[in-house]
Protein backbone atom coordinates (compact mmCIF):
# COMPACT_ATOMS: atom_id res chain seq x y z
CA UNK A 1 0.00 0.00 0.00
CA UNK A 2 2.85 2.38 0.87
CA UNK A 3 4.40 1.76 -2.54
CA UNK A 4 1.12 2.46 -4.35
CA UNK A 5 0.59 5.64 -2.33
CA UNK A 6 4.07 6.83 -3.18
CA UNK A 7 3.53 6.19 -6.91
CA UNK A 8 0.22 8.06 -6.83
CA UNK A 9 1.77 11.01 -5.03
CA UNK A 10 4.60 11.16 -7.56
CA UNK A 11 2.14 11.08 -10.45
CA UNK A 12 0.08 13.88 -8.89
CA UNK A 13 3.17 16.02 -8.40
CA UNK A 14 4.26 15.39 -12.04
CA UNK A 15 0.83 16.35 -13.37
CA UNK A 16 0.83 19.51 -11.29
CA UNK A 17 4.25 20.49 -12.63
CA UNK A 18 3.14 19.83 -16.20
CA UNK A 19 0.09 22.01 -15.74
CA UNK A 20 2.14 24.85 -14.28
CA UNK A 21 4.63 24.65 -17.13
CA UNK A 22 1.86 24.65 -19.75
CA UNK A 23 0.19 27.66 -18.15
CA UNK A 24 3.48 29.57 -18.05
CA UNK A 25 4.16 28.71 -21.71
CA UNK A 26 0.72 29.92 -22.72
CA UNK A 27 1.17 33.22 -20.85
CA UNK A 28 4.61 33.68 -22.41
CA UNK A 29 3.18 33.06 -25.90
CA UNK A 30 0.42 35.64 -25.39
CA UNK A 31 2.92 38.20 -24.12
CA UNK A 32 5.22 37.56 -27.09
CA UNK A 33 2.36 37.99 -29.59
CA UNK A 34 1.24 41.23 -27.95
CA UNK A 35 4.75 42.69 -28.04
CA UNK A 36 5.03 45.20 -30.97
CA UNK A 37 7.40 44.15 -33.72
CA UNK A 38 9.83 46.45 -35.47
CA UNK A 39 7.51 46.70 -38.47
CA UNK A 40 4.45 47.53 -36.39
CA UNK A 41 6.39 50.11 -34.43
CA UNK A 42 7.30 51.81 -37.72
CA UNK A 43 3.94 51.70 -39.43
CA UNK A 44 1.45 51.85 -36.55
CA UNK A 45 3.14 53.61 -33.67
CA UNK A 46 5.46 55.96 -35.57
CA UNK A 47 3.39 57.16 -38.52
CA UNK A 48 0.74 59.77 -37.61
CA UNK A 49 -2.85 58.54 -37.97
CA UNK A 50 -4.14 58.57 -41.54
CA UNK A 51 -0.75 59.11 -43.17
CA UNK A 52 -0.47 55.49 -44.29
CA UNK A 53 -3.82 55.74 -46.10
CA UNK A 54 -2.91 59.04 -47.77
CA UNK A 55 0.42 57.71 -49.02
CA UNK A 56 -1.25 54.64 -50.52
CA UNK A 57 -3.41 56.76 -52.87
CA UNK A 58 -0.74 59.21 -54.03
CA UNK A 59 0.44 58.93 -57.64
CA UNK A 60 3.94 59.99 -56.67
CA UNK A 61 6.44 57.56 -55.18
CA UNK A 62 6.44 58.08 -51.40
CA UNK A 63 9.16 57.33 -48.83
CA UNK A 64 9.06 58.13 -45.09
CA UNK A 65 12.39 58.28 -43.23
CA UNK A 66 12.97 58.29 -39.47
CA UNK A 67 15.67 60.14 -37.52
CA UNK A 68 18.23 57.43 -38.33
CA UNK A 69 17.52 57.64 -42.12
CA UNK A 70 15.84 54.23 -42.05
CA UNK A 71 12.83 53.72 -44.30
CA UNK A 72 9.66 53.62 -42.18
CA UNK A 73 7.26 53.43 -45.10
CA UNK A 74 7.75 53.20 -48.88
CA UNK A 75 5.26 52.79 -51.70
CA UNK A 76 5.61 50.07 -54.30
CA UNK A 77 6.42 52.70 -56.92
CA UNK A 78 9.43 53.79 -54.85
CA UNK A 79 10.79 50.25 -54.98
CA UNK A 80 10.06 50.02 -58.71
CA UNK A 81 12.07 53.19 -59.37
CA UNK A 82 14.97 51.85 -57.32
CA UNK A 83 14.73 54.56 -54.66
CA UNK A 84 14.74 52.09 -51.74
CA UNK A 85 17.15 49.19 -51.34
CA UNK A 86 17.76 47.16 -48.22
CA UNK A 87 15.58 49.38 -46.08
CA UNK A 88 17.60 52.48 -46.96
CA UNK A 89 17.14 55.39 -49.38
CA UNK A 90 19.50 54.55 -52.25
CA UNK A 91 19.71 58.00 -53.89
CA UNK A 92 22.39 60.07 -52.20
CA UNK A 93 21.17 63.56 -53.25
CA UNK A 94 17.71 62.77 -51.89
CA UNK A 95 19.23 61.50 -48.64
CA UNK A 96 21.14 64.78 -48.20
CA UNK A 97 17.92 66.72 -48.83
CA UNK A 98 16.11 64.67 -46.19
CA UNK A 99 18.83 65.33 -43.61
CA UNK A 100 18.79 69.07 -44.32
CA UNK A 101 15.00 69.19 -44.03
CA UNK A 102 15.09 67.25 -40.75
CA UNK A 103 17.59 69.76 -39.42
CA UNK A 104 15.88 73.05 -40.35
CA UNK A 105 12.31 71.98 -41.21
CA UNK A 106 12.33 73.64 -44.64
CA UNK A 107 10.61 72.10 -47.67
CA UNK A 108 13.01 71.37 -50.54
CA UNK A 109 12.49 70.39 -54.19
CA UNK A 110 14.92 69.39 -56.93
CA UNK A 111 14.88 67.68 -60.34
CA UNK A 112 17.34 64.84 -60.88
CA UNK A 113 18.37 62.44 -63.65
CA UNK A 114 18.73 58.92 -62.27
CA UNK A 115 20.16 55.86 -64.05
CA UNK A 116 17.40 53.55 -65.22
CA UNK A 117 17.60 50.11 -63.65
CA UNK A 118 17.78 46.96 -65.72
CA UNK A 119 17.90 48.47 -69.23
CA UNK A 120 21.63 48.62 -69.82
CA UNK A 121 21.04 51.39 -72.38
CA UNK A 122 22.29 54.27 -70.27
CA UNK A 123 18.93 56.03 -70.40
CA UNK A 124 18.29 58.54 -67.64
CA UNK A 125 15.16 58.59 -65.50
CA UNK A 126 14.01 62.18 -64.99
CA UNK A 127 12.38 62.71 -61.59
CA UNK A 128 11.22 65.59 -59.41
CA UNK A 129 11.88 65.07 -55.67
CA UNK A 130 10.16 67.05 -52.91
CA UNK A 131 11.08 66.67 -49.23
CA UNK A 132 8.98 67.94 -46.31
CA UNK A 133 8.96 67.35 -42.53
CA UNK A 134 6.32 64.92 -41.22
CA UNK A 135 5.86 65.47 -37.51
CA UNK A 136 8.82 66.08 -35.22
CA UNK A 137 11.04 63.14 -36.24
CA UNK A 138 9.95 61.91 -39.66
CA UNK A 139 10.66 63.20 -43.16
CA UNK A 140 8.40 62.63 -46.19
CA UNK A 141 9.92 62.27 -49.66
CA UNK A 142 7.67 62.46 -52.73
CA UNK A 143 9.19 61.57 -56.11
CA UNK A 144 7.40 62.09 -59.44
CA UNK A 145 8.56 60.46 -62.68
CA UNK A 146 8.96 63.16 -65.35
CA UNK A 147 10.50 60.96 -68.06
CA UNK A 148 7.40 60.67 -70.25
CA UNK A 149 6.53 64.34 -69.83
CA UNK A 150 10.04 65.33 -70.93
CA UNK A 151 9.85 62.99 -73.92
CA UNK A 152 6.55 64.54 -75.03
CA UNK A 153 7.97 68.03 -74.57
CA UNK A 154 11.02 67.10 -76.65
CA UNK A 155 8.78 65.73 -79.41
CA UNK A 156 6.70 68.91 -79.35
CA UNK A 157 9.82 71.08 -79.43
CA UNK A 158 11.29 69.12 -82.36
CA UNK A 159 7.97 69.32 -84.17
CA UNK A 160 7.84 73.12 -83.87
CA UNK A 161 11.47 73.39 -85.00
CA UNK A 162 10.84 71.12 -87.99
CA UNK A 163 7.68 72.98 -89.00
CA UNK A 164 9.54 76.29 -88.82
CA UNK A 165 12.34 74.94 -90.97
CA UNK A 166 10.03 73.33 -93.52
CA UNK A 167 7.93 76.49 -93.85
CA UNK A 168 10.93 78.78 -94.18
CA UNK A 169 12.28 76.88 -97.18
CA UNK A 170 9.43 77.49 -99.67
CA UNK A 171 8.66 80.93 -98.20
CA UNK A 172 12.28 81.99 -98.63
CA UNK A 173 12.34 80.61 -102.16
CA UNK A 174 9.18 82.54 -103.06
CA UNK A 175 10.71 85.74 -101.70
CA UNK A 176 13.89 85.32 -103.75
CA UNK A 177 11.97 84.35 -106.90
CA UNK A 178 9.68 87.36 -106.60
CA UNK A 179 12.75 89.62 -106.42
CA UNK A 180 14.18 87.86 -109.47
CA UNK A 181 10.93 88.44 -111.37
CA UNK A 182 11.04 92.13 -110.54
CA UNK A 183 14.68 92.43 -111.65
CA UNK A 184 13.93 90.58 -114.91
CA UNK A 185 10.79 92.50 -115.77
CA UNK A 186 12.20 93.38 -119.20
CA UNK A 187 13.05 89.73 -119.98
CA UNK A 188 9.84 87.77 -120.69
CA UNK A 189 11.68 84.45 -120.93
CA UNK A 190 13.26 84.89 -117.48
CA UNK A 191 9.94 86.01 -116.00
CA UNK A 192 8.26 82.88 -117.33
CA UNK A 193 11.03 80.68 -115.91
CA UNK A 194 10.93 82.31 -112.47
CA UNK A 195 7.13 82.27 -112.40
CA UNK A 196 7.21 78.51 -113.05
CA UNK A 197 9.55 78.05 -110.12
CA UNK A 198 7.29 80.18 -107.96
CA UNK A 199 4.38 77.91 -108.85
CA UNK A 200 6.38 74.85 -107.75
CA UNK A 201 7.31 76.42 -104.41
CA UNK A 202 3.76 77.64 -103.84
CA UNK A 203 2.47 74.12 -104.48
CA UNK A 204 5.01 72.70 -102.05
CA UNK A 205 3.95 75.23 -99.42
CA UNK A 206 0.29 74.41 -99.98
CA UNK A 207 0.92 70.70 -99.66
CA UNK A 208 2.90 71.18 -96.46
CA UNK A 209 0.18 73.29 -94.83
CA UNK A 210 -2.51 70.83 -95.92
CA UNK A 211 -0.61 67.84 -94.52
CA UNK A 212 -0.04 69.67 -91.24
CA UNK A 213 -3.80 70.23 -91.07
CA UNK A 214 -4.46 66.57 -91.93
CA UNK A 215 -2.01 65.36 -89.29
CA UNK A 216 -3.58 67.58 -86.65
CA UNK A 217 -7.04 66.35 -87.61
CA UNK A 218 -6.23 62.64 -87.44
CA UNK A 219 -4.51 63.13 -84.08
CA UNK A 220 -7.38 65.05 -82.47
CA UNK A 221 -10.51 63.64 -84.09
CA UNK A 222 -12.15 60.35 -83.22
CA UNK A 223 -12.61 58.62 -86.60
CA UNK A 224 -15.18 56.21 -85.20
CA UNK A 225 -17.66 59.02 -84.47
CA UNK A 226 -18.48 59.18 -88.19
CA UNK A 227 -17.52 55.60 -88.99
CA UNK A 228 -19.18 53.58 -91.70
CA UNK A 229 -18.45 50.48 -93.77
CA UNK A 230 -16.04 51.55 -96.51
CA UNK A 231 -15.50 49.46 -99.65
CA UNK A 232 -11.87 48.56 -100.17
CA UNK A 233 -12.12 48.60 -103.97
CA UNK A 234 -13.34 52.21 -103.86
CA UNK A 235 -10.44 53.22 -101.59
CA UNK A 236 -7.94 51.53 -103.94
CA UNK A 237 -9.47 53.16 -107.03
CA UNK A 238 -9.38 56.59 -105.39
CA UNK A 239 -5.75 56.15 -104.30
CA UNK A 240 -4.67 55.06 -107.78
CA UNK A 241 -6.56 57.88 -109.44
CA UNK A 242 -4.76 60.36 -107.20
CA UNK A 243 -1.35 59.19 -108.51
CA UNK A 244 -2.39 58.41 -112.08
CA UNK A 245 -0.78 61.49 -113.66
CA UNK A 246 2.71 61.19 -112.04
CA UNK A 247 2.66 57.45 -112.74
CA UNK A 248 1.83 58.06 -116.39
CA UNK A 249 4.59 60.65 -116.66
CA UNK A 250 7.16 58.11 -115.40
CA UNK A 251 5.58 55.26 -117.42
CA UNK A 252 4.88 53.32 -114.22
CA UNK A 253 2.37 50.47 -114.54
CA UNK A 254 -0.17 50.27 -111.71
CA UNK A 255 -1.76 46.90 -110.97
CA UNK A 256 -4.58 45.96 -108.62
CA UNK A 257 -5.30 42.47 -107.31
CA UNK A 258 -6.12 40.31 -104.32
CA UNK A 259 -9.38 39.88 -102.46
CA UNK A 260 -11.37 36.73 -103.00
CA UNK A 261 -11.65 34.32 -105.95
CA UNK A 262 -10.91 35.97 -109.23
CA UNK A 263 -9.12 38.84 -107.54
CA UNK A 264 -12.32 40.64 -106.55
CA UNK A 265 -12.10 43.20 -103.78
CA UNK A 266 -15.74 44.37 -103.91
CA UNK A 267 -16.73 42.11 -100.99
CA UNK A 268 -14.06 43.62 -98.67
CA UNK A 269 -15.16 46.40 -96.31
CA UNK A 270 -13.37 48.36 -93.59
CA UNK A 271 -15.10 50.03 -90.68
CA UNK A 272 -13.92 53.62 -90.26
CA UNK A 273 -13.76 57.19 -91.52
CA UNK A 274 -13.76 57.16 -95.31
CA UNK A 275 -11.83 60.40 -95.72
CA UNK A 276 -9.02 59.39 -93.38
CA UNK A 277 -8.71 55.90 -94.86
CA UNK A 278 -8.57 57.30 -98.40
CA UNK A 279 -5.87 59.80 -97.36
CA UNK A 280 -3.76 57.07 -95.72
CA UNK A 281 -3.91 54.68 -98.69
CA UNK A 282 -3.41 57.58 -101.10
CA UNK A 283 -0.21 58.56 -99.28
CA UNK A 284 1.15 55.01 -99.57
CA UNK A 285 0.45 54.81 -103.31
CA UNK A 286 1.82 58.32 -103.90
CA UNK A 287 5.06 57.44 -102.07
CA UNK A 288 5.39 54.24 -104.09
CA UNK A 289 5.12 56.19 -107.35
CA UNK A 290 7.43 59.02 -106.25
CA UNK A 291 10.21 56.69 -105.11
CA UNK A 292 10.03 54.28 -108.05
CA UNK A 293 12.20 54.58 -111.15
CA UNK A 294 10.61 55.02 -114.57
CA UNK A 295 9.10 52.02 -116.37
CA UNK A 296 8.57 49.96 -113.21
CA UNK A 297 5.42 48.67 -111.54
CA UNK A 298 3.42 49.58 -108.43
CA UNK A 299 1.01 46.94 -107.13
CA UNK A 300 -1.91 47.33 -104.74
CA UNK A 301 -3.33 44.13 -103.24
CA UNK A 302 -6.07 43.51 -100.70
CA UNK A 303 -7.21 40.39 -98.88
CA UNK A 304 -9.06 39.17 -95.81
CA UNK A 305 -7.05 37.36 -93.10
CA UNK A 306 -8.16 35.63 -89.93
CA UNK A 307 -7.10 36.94 -86.52
CA UNK A 308 -8.01 35.98 -82.93
CA UNK A 309 -10.11 39.12 -82.36
CA UNK A 310 -11.89 39.05 -85.72
CA UNK A 311 -11.05 39.18 -89.42
CA UNK A 312 -8.65 41.82 -90.72
CA UNK A 313 -8.35 43.47 -94.10
CA UNK A 314 -4.78 43.74 -95.37
CA UNK A 315 -3.96 46.26 -98.08
CA UNK A 316 -0.40 46.07 -99.39
CA UNK A 317 1.30 48.62 -101.66
CA UNK A 318 4.39 47.23 -103.38
CA UNK A 319 6.92 49.15 -105.46
CA UNK A 320 10.21 48.50 -107.25
CA UNK A 321 11.87 51.62 -105.91
CA UNK A 322 15.10 52.44 -104.11
CA UNK A 323 14.15 50.52 -100.95
CA UNK A 324 14.77 51.46 -97.33
CA UNK A 325 17.83 50.53 -95.29
CA UNK A 326 17.40 48.61 -92.05
CA UNK A 327 18.46 51.57 -89.90
CA UNK A 328 15.84 53.81 -91.53
CA UNK A 329 12.96 51.31 -91.41
CA UNK A 330 12.07 52.05 -87.78
CA UNK A 331 12.01 55.81 -88.37
CA UNK A 332 10.13 56.19 -91.63
CA UNK A 333 6.87 56.82 -89.76
CA UNK A 334 8.32 59.75 -87.78
CA UNK A 335 7.21 63.27 -88.66
CA UNK A 336 9.44 65.03 -91.19
CA UNK A 337 11.82 62.05 -91.38
CA UNK A 338 13.11 61.43 -94.88
CA UNK A 339 15.23 58.49 -95.99
CA UNK A 340 16.79 60.66 -98.69
CA UNK A 341 16.18 64.39 -98.01
CA UNK A 342 17.61 65.48 -101.36
CA UNK A 343 15.35 63.10 -103.29
CA UNK A 344 12.34 64.15 -101.18
CA UNK A 345 12.96 67.76 -102.13
CA UNK A 346 12.97 66.75 -105.78
CA UNK A 347 9.68 64.84 -105.43
CA UNK A 348 8.05 67.53 -103.30
CA UNK A 349 7.69 65.31 -100.25
CA UNK A 350 7.03 66.86 -96.85
CA UNK A 351 7.99 63.95 -94.60
CA UNK A 352 4.49 63.86 -93.07
CA UNK A 353 2.73 61.33 -95.32
CA UNK A 354 3.75 58.17 -93.46
CA UNK A 355 3.15 59.84 -90.08
CA UNK A 356 -0.45 60.45 -91.18
CA UNK A 357 -0.75 56.82 -92.28
CA UNK A 358 0.48 55.60 -88.90
CA UNK A 359 -1.99 57.76 -86.95
CA UNK A 360 -4.92 56.76 -89.16
CA UNK A 361 -4.11 53.07 -88.76
CA UNK A 362 -3.76 53.37 -84.97
CA UNK A 363 -6.97 55.39 -84.54
CA UNK A 364 -8.88 52.74 -86.51
CA UNK A 365 -7.59 49.92 -84.31
CA UNK A 366 -5.07 48.70 -86.88
CA UNK A 367 -1.41 49.07 -87.79
CA UNK A 368 0.93 49.73 -90.69
CA UNK A 369 4.13 47.76 -91.27
CA UNK A 370 6.92 47.91 -93.83
CA UNK A 371 9.11 45.33 -95.54
CA UNK A 372 11.92 46.61 -97.70
CA UNK A 373 15.18 45.65 -99.33
CA UNK A 374 17.59 48.22 -100.69
CA UNK A 375 17.58 48.29 -104.47
CA UNK A 376 14.62 45.88 -104.71
CA UNK A 377 11.67 47.89 -103.45
CA UNK A 378 9.33 48.16 -100.50
CA UNK A 379 5.94 46.90 -99.35
CA UNK A 380 3.79 48.89 -96.94
CA UNK A 381 0.94 46.89 -95.44
CA UNK A 382 -2.15 48.35 -93.77
CA UNK A 383 -3.97 45.96 -91.42
CA UNK A 384 -7.40 47.23 -90.41
CA UNK A 385 -10.48 45.63 -88.82
CA UNK A 386 -13.08 44.41 -91.25
CA UNK A 387 -16.48 46.09 -91.10
CA UNK A 388 -18.57 44.25 -88.54
CA UNK A 389 -15.62 43.58 -86.26
CA UNK A 390 -14.48 47.19 -86.23
CA UNK A 391 -16.70 48.34 -83.37
CA UNK A 392 -15.49 45.59 -81.05
CA UNK A 393 -11.84 45.93 -82.00
CA UNK A 394 -11.55 49.71 -82.02
CA UNK A 395 -11.23 49.98 -78.25
CA UNK A 396 -8.84 47.05 -77.87
CA UNK A 397 -6.22 47.93 -80.48
CA UNK A 398 -4.92 45.77 -83.31
CA UNK A 399 -4.43 42.04 -83.16
CA UNK A 400 -1.34 40.92 -85.00
CA UNK A 401 -1.66 38.27 -87.65
CA UNK A 402 0.59 35.26 -87.26
CA UNK A 403 1.90 34.34 -90.67
CA UNK A 404 4.29 31.54 -91.59
CA UNK A 405 6.36 34.00 -93.60
CA UNK A 406 7.82 37.09 -91.93
CA UNK A 407 7.50 39.05 -95.16
CA UNK A 408 4.09 40.40 -96.14
CA UNK A 409 2.36 38.89 -99.12
CA UNK A 410 3.36 40.14 -102.56
CA UNK A 411 6.52 41.74 -101.22
CA UNK A 412 8.48 40.54 -104.22
CA UNK A 413 8.11 43.33 -106.80
CA UNK A 414 8.44 40.76 -109.59
CA UNK A 415 5.78 38.43 -108.21
CA UNK A 416 2.49 38.19 -109.99
CA UNK A 417 -0.46 39.85 -108.29
CA UNK A 418 -3.56 37.62 -108.52
CA UNK A 419 -5.83 38.64 -111.37
CA UNK A 420 -4.36 42.13 -111.79
CA UNK A 421 -6.20 44.95 -113.40
CA UNK A 422 -3.51 46.95 -115.17
CA UNK A 423 -4.21 50.65 -115.23
CA UNK A 424 -2.48 53.13 -117.54
Amino acid sequence: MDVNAAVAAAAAIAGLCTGVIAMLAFRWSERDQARPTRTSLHTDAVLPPGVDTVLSVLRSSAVVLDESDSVVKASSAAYALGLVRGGKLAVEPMLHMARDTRRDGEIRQVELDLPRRGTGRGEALAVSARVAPLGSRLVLLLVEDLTEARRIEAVRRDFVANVSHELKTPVGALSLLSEAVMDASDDPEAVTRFAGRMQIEATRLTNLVQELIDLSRVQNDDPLEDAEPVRVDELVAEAIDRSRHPASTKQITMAVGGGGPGGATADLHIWGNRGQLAAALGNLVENAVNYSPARTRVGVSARRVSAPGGDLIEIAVTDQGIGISEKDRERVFERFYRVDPARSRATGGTGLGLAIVKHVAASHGGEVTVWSSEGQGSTFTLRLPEAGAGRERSSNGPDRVDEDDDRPYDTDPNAEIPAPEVLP
Side-chain angles (χ1 to χ4, degrees), residues 17 19 22 62 81 92 101 118 140 197 208 270 289 306 389 410 421:
C17 292
L81 290 178
E92 198 66 26
T101 297
L140 172 63
R197 288 295 307 167
L208 176 59
I270 297 172
V289 172
S306 298
D410 291 333
E421 174 192 355

Side-chain angles (χ1 to χ4, degrees), residues 6-229:
V7 171
I13 293 172
L16 180 61
C17 292
T18 302
V20 171
I21 293 173
M23 183 179 64
L24 292 174
F26 178 75
R27 290 289 182 85
W28 182 269
S29 175
E30 281 189 333
R31 182 181 301 175
D32 187 63
Q33 291 180 3
R35 181 181 302 160
T37 61
R38 182 175 182 179
T39 303
S40 64
L41 277 173
H42 282 314
T43 58
D44 298 332
V46 178
L47 283 180
V51 172
D52 195 9
T53 304
V54 173
L55 295 182
S56 64
V57 298
L58 288 177
R59 291 187 177 181
S60 304
S61 303
V63 180
V64 178
L65 303 175
D66 62 11
E67 61 273 14
S68 62
D69 292 334
S70 297
V71 175
V72 176
K73 177 72 177 179
S75 63
S76 57
Y79 286 99
L81 290 178
L83 304 179
V84 178
R85 299 176 192 171
K88 294 289 185 180
L89 186 62
V91 183
E92 198 66 26
M94 296 181 187
L95 188 58
H96 290 315
M97 287 174 57
R99 290 170 179 169
D100 293 340
T101 297
R102 186 185 299 111
R103 185 180 63 252
D104 55 27
E106 292 186 5
I107 297 175
R108 289 174 168 81
Q109 184 169 354
V110 67
E111 292 188 3
L112 301 170
D113 290 332
L114 307 178
R116 190 187 295 268
R117 298 179 60 192
T119 62
R121 294 179 293 179
E123 296 181 352
L125 191 70
V127 298
S128 173
R130 185 178 179 87
V131 181
L134 185 64
S136 59
R137 295 181 301 166
L138 303 181
V139 173
L140 172 63
L141 171 67
L142 296 177
V143 180
E144 184 178 358
D145 188 356
L146 303 178
T147 307
E148 184 64 15
R150 283 194 179 180
R151 187 192 68 81
I152 294 175
E153 181 60 30
V155 170
R156 184 182 295 111
R157 190 166 52 249
D158 291 343
F159 179 73
V160 172
N162 286 328
V163 168
S164 302
H165 173 73
E166 295 294 334
L167 288 174
K168 282 197 317 186
T169 302
V171 169
L174 286 172
S175 177
L176 292 174
L177 287 169
S178 64
E179 291 180 6
V181 169
M182 293 179 63
D183 293 340
S185 57
D186 56 346
D187 186 352
E189 183 178 346
V191 170
T192 302
R193 185 171 68 254
F194 292 143
R197 288 295 307 167
M198 290 178 68
Q199 267 192 326
I200 294 175
E201 295 299 332
T203 301
R204 176 176 297 173
L205 181 60
T206 301
N207 292 339
L208 176 59
V209 172
Q210 184 59 51
E211 290 203 346
L212 284 171
I213 295 173
D214 292 341
L215 180 60
S216 175
R217 183 179 295 117
V218 300
Q219 285 180 312
N220 296 327
D221 294 348
D222 182 3
L224 301 182
E225 287 184 358
D226 302 319
E228 60 178 333

